[in-house]
Amino acid sequence: MATFEKVVFGSSRLTAASFSSLDPACKSLGPMTISLIEAPHDGRVQIAQGQDFPSFPMFNARAHCNARKRPATFVFYTAAPGYTGRDAFALELVDPVGNVSRVRYRVTVR
């Protein structure tokens, strides 16, 4: 499982990630389905839809889509009031064509 390290200050809302599913013409294939498979012990995770700049690598056929905001599924983390220390959560991601992956986020709350 891929693991990502993040830092957040106090109980501010952290944008842990945003995911876009686009075809090579930059048309949205639909939202990601994101499930919490391990909840944080001292915070909460929220999933929301919005717009964001994708970040496809330059060798990807969709790299030209990075220039404009596109539909995206966001993952937000907010620490419990007054909490400082480490927290973690894990997600299962299913894209609109059925590909599945799992990711873990380790968050340091300062």
Side-chain angles (χ1 to χ4, degrees):
M1 182 180 311
T3 301
F4 300 93
E5 299 281 340
K6 299 287 185 173
V7 174
V8 64
F9 296 95
S11 58
S12 359
R13 186 168 82 161
L14 168 71
T15 302
S18 71
F19 301 96
S20 295
S21 297
L22 305 173
D23 69 13
C26 304
K27 182 180 176 193
S28 176
L29 298 174
M32 297 284 284
T33 300
I34 300 177
S35 302
L36 191 62
I37 55 176
E38 290 178 25
H41 56 81
D42 284 295
R44 68 173 197 225
V45 173
Q46 295 173 293
I47 311 299
Q49 302 301 315
Q51 299 272 318
D52 200 10
F53 291 99
S55 57
F56 294 106
M58 293 311 296
F59 61 84
N60 188 298
R62 297 166 293 171
H64 66 281
C65 301
N66 296 347
R68 291 186 43 215
K69 285 188 173 186
R70 308 291 176 175
T73 304
F74 288 90
V75 177
F76 300 109
Y77 168 85
T78 305
Y83 178 74
T84 58
R86 295 194 46 109
D87 205 352
F89 61 94
L91 306 170
E92 180 178 77
L93 314 168
V94 181
D95 72 17
V97 295
N99 297 311
V100 178
S101 61
R102 291 190 171 119
V103 295
R104 177 180 315 284
Y105 292 88
R106 291 184 182 149
V107 181
T108 301
V109 182
R110 295 185 180 166

